[in-house]
Amino acid sequence: MSTLAEAAGRTGVSVPPAAFSEDLYKQELERVFGRSWLFVGHESLIPRNGDYLASYMGEDPVIVQRDRTGRVRVYLNRCRHRGNLLCVHDRGHAPSFVCSYHAWTYTDGALTGVPRLREEYRGEIDRSKLGLVEARAQVYGGLVFANWDAGAPSLDDYLGDARWWLEHFLLREELGGLEVLPGQQRYIVPVNWKLPAENFGGDYYHFAATHGSVVGALAKSSDKRIAATGATTAKADQPRYYCVSANYDRGAAHGFYEVSVGDAPRRQELALAEQIGPEAVAWFHERERLLNEKLQAFRQRPYSFHVANIFPNFSLIGVGSAFYGKGLIVHHPRGANRTEAWVWCAIEKNAPPPVKKQQRFVLMQRQAAAGMVAPDDHENFERISETIDSGIARRVPFHYEMAMGYDREDPRPTKWIGEVDWPGQVTPQISEVNQRDFYRHWKRLMETA
């Protein structure tokens, strides 16, 4: 029988397979997903009062609704009478929800209708105590988060250092913000949710080995685009990459990586804009002007991050390019060895139509269930999961000790120090510091009853 002490005892150096066991999974639902701020959707999907979408918080189904006053609210998707699933559609418009079993009716979360109230209940029912169970909900730059724990820190405190990175490189309000396309890809993978989450949170070490064929194919394509504009890919012009652990060792562990510095990413982007056409070039230059104004205090400003994970299971990809759709990905737990991935595509609202088309295409080309990149990762996660709970293998811990003791070593040039700093702990791109912090925070939650 796996114990929490066995699973969490050495977390931060190595992680025992017991951390992924069925024995601890139910505790995770309460101690991790019951206490963390969880991404449940984007408010652009519920633009009008009365609009709703169905989502999940852990394994709990929830309704995300804009109520009659315009406030975004999140309810447990269960009727208070017999626990029937109340809302059976993915998205729509409904001023009220009526249970299909006994027709109890809820408006803005309140129980407003009980059939035959006087005849059968004799009028003796306190409807004020039977409204839908409601989570704390907060909108941050269009991202809707919810939390079941009334005593949890505010969303701002929970995000901490991550707010700067999200505001500057994902949300981009000065550019008009994000528009999330309706619908999402959904697929099941037979793996524990932590494997994809920690991978998105900072594992650049896997990229060359796992995605080697993709790297080769995309490099050839990139070379053609760059050559067409007369740009160069000389070694001196290559970007430098870093990873950032937000709130390192002091709060919720959010990881960002492929944080790039240098002019090469910009020139590659401009080359692609020129291929798309004059409208894309004009938009790109205006976008660049606005971003330079915002970050003008930085002598060596980061161009962007590309991949991230907001603890516990909200992953991001495509943020590092103006022409890559922003993937908003939730790894919903469906058991100790089962995860349901939901992938939304977010595009920049003010981008011209040809750029939006390119953004949609690139995300689906690479991150879709049958794309160029995602299946490589899933195959590795599945191979790990196939033996994670076998006899001897369950005694052999996973190794997370790359550069242990160097987590606080800042790899940036000395001349940067003293300039306006980037929030979070900056480390080399190839590092396991973000994964170590992910499991340290997981351990703190799991050890608190």
Side-chain angles (χ1 to χ4, degrees):
M1 184 77 170
S2 302
T3 67
L4 179 57
E6 290 170 345
R10 297 185 68 228
T11 299
V13 176
S14 60
V15 176
F20 304 90
S21 71
E22 191 70 44
D23 299 330
L24 296 184
Y25 176 68
K26 293 298 182 183
Q27 291 184 39
E28 274 188 332
L29 293 180
E30 294 183 6
R31 299 182 182 185
V32 175
F33 290 92
R35 295 169 173 166
S36 301
W37 284 95
L38 307 175
F39 176 74
V40 293
H42 194 275
E43 68 170 348
S44 66
L45 298 172
I46 48 172
R48 301 175 299 160
N49 295 356
D51 286 351
Y52 71 87
L53 62 91
S55 189
Y56 281 88
M57 297 174 65
E59 286 201 28
D60 287 311
V62 295
I63 303 168
V64 183
Q65 185 183 40
R66 192 179 294 278
D67 70 14
R68 291 176 297 175
T69 69
R71 175 186 167 196
V72 176
R73 302 172 72 174
V74 177
Y75 312 108
L76 182 66
N77 190 1
R78 287 286 185 267
C79 178
R80 292 296 302 275
H81 185 217
R82 291 291 189 275
N84 188 31
L85 190 70
L86 186 62
C87 175
V88 298
H89 301 290
D90 291 340
R91 183 181 173 209
H93 180 86
S96 298
F97 294 98
V98 182
C99 180
S100 63
Y101 195 3
H102 298 99
W104 280 30
T105 301
Y106 301 86
T107 305
D108 290 350
L111 178 59
T112 54
V114 178
R116 301 182 63 81
L117 176 63
R118 293 186 180 278
E119 295 90 337
E120 311 304 342
Y121 281 94
R122 311 298 196 270
E124 296 179 358
I125 182 173
D126 188 349
R127 288 184 292 177
S128 68
K129 295 181 179 180
L130 291 171
L132 297 179
V133 175
E134 186 169 0
R136 297 167 63 189
Q138 193 168 340
V139 179
Y140 181 76
L143 307 174
V144 183
F145 290 87
N147 194 320
W148 294 118
D149 186 358
S154 68
L155 177 61
D156 282 353
D157 288 341
Y158 181 84
L159 292 175
D161 295 335
R163 292 177 57 201
W164 187 90
W165 295 93
L166 296 176
E167 288 172 4
H168 284 74
F169 301 114
L170 174 68
L171 305 178
R172 299 271 168 89
E173 294 297 325
E174 69 280 0
L175 303 177
L178 297 178
E179 171 188 355
V180 177
L181 301 180
Q184 74 271 89
Q185 282 213 1
R186 302 183 186 184
Y187 53 88
I188 296 284
V189 285
V191 305
N192 186 278
W193 68 272
K194 293 189 289 298
L195 293 176
E198 59 134 291
N199 181 75
F200 273 88
D203 193 332
Y204 194 70
Y205 187 47
H206 82 287
F207 205 89
T210 299
H211 306 300
S213 60
V214 177
V215 171
L218 294 179
K220 292 178 182 178
S221 174
S222 297
D223 286 346
K224 291 177 182 177
R225 290 198 301 265
I226 294 169
T229 63
T232 177
T233 55
K235 187 174 181 180
D237 295 318
Q238 292 300 304
R240 288 165 290 178
Y241 289 107
Y242 303 89
C243 69
V244 174
S245 181
N247 312 326
Y248 175 76
D249 203 23
R250 58 179 172 81
H254 314 305
F256 299 80
Y257 74 100
E258 284 192 76
V259 177
S260 58
V261 174
D263 194 48
R266 176 199 170 270
R267 289 185 289 101
Q268 292 177 18
E269 296 273 281
L270 180 57
L272 181 53
E274 290 170 345
Q275 276 201 335
I276 295 173
E279 192 176 14
V281 173
W283 172 78
F284 178 80
H285 284 308
E286 176 61 13
R287 181 182 188 273
E288 183 179 48
R289 183 188 68 80
L290 292 170
L291 293 177
N292 284 337
E293 285 182 0
K294 189 173 185 179
L295 291 169
Q296 61 183 342
F298 291 81
R299 176 183 297 176
Q300 293 285 347
R301 71 173 179 86
Y303 189 78
S304 184
F305 69 88
H306 184 59
V307 186
N309 187 72
I310 303 301
F311 190 91
N313 64 332
F314 176 36
S315 299
L316 306 167
I317 195 167
V319 182
S321 170
F323 300 101
Y324 194 136
K326 280 64 176 165
L328 310 181
I329 305 171
V330 182
H331 296 106
H332 292 296
R334 292 291 180 265
N337 199 35
R338 186 175 170 86
T339 295
E340 182 175 6
W342 287 17
V343 184
W344 283 276
C345 178
I347 57 179
E348 297 196 22
K349 190 181 298 183
N350 288 346
V355 172
K356 290 183 177 181
K357 180 179 179 180
Q358 175 74 10
Q359 291 173 341
R360 291 194 299 268
F361 168 75
V362 174
L363 180 66
M364 290 300 98
Q365 177 199 47
R366 303 183 194 177
Q367 200 56 40
M372 297 174 67
V373 176
D376 295 340
D377 291 320
H378 299 155
E379 288 179 2
N380 285 329
F381 301 151
E382 289 182 38
R383 293 185 187 109
I384 294 169
S385 300
E386 285 170 357
T387 61
I388 206 167
D389 200 31
S390 59
I392 298 301
R394 73 178 63 181
R395 306 178 192 173
V396 183
F398 298 166
H399 191 275
Y400 289 84
E401 300 180 15
M402 179 189 293
M404 279 290 292
Y406 297 90
D407 286 358
R408 296 187 182 276
E409 182 180 69
D410 193 327
R412 294 172 297 173
T414 306
K415 65 180 181 180
W416 290 21
I417 307 303
E419 301 295 322
V420 178
D421 207 2
W422 311 348
Q425 180 61 37
V426 180
T427 53
Q429 177 73 352
I430 305 296
S431 172
E432 290 177 343
V433 58
N434 286 6
Q435 291 98 317
R436 285 193 286 271
D437 209 39
F438 178 96
Y439 285 107
R440 275 196 289 262
H441 185 61
W442 175 86
K443 177 185 175 183
R444 284 193 291 264
L445 293 174
M446 290 293 286
E447 288 183 331
T448 305

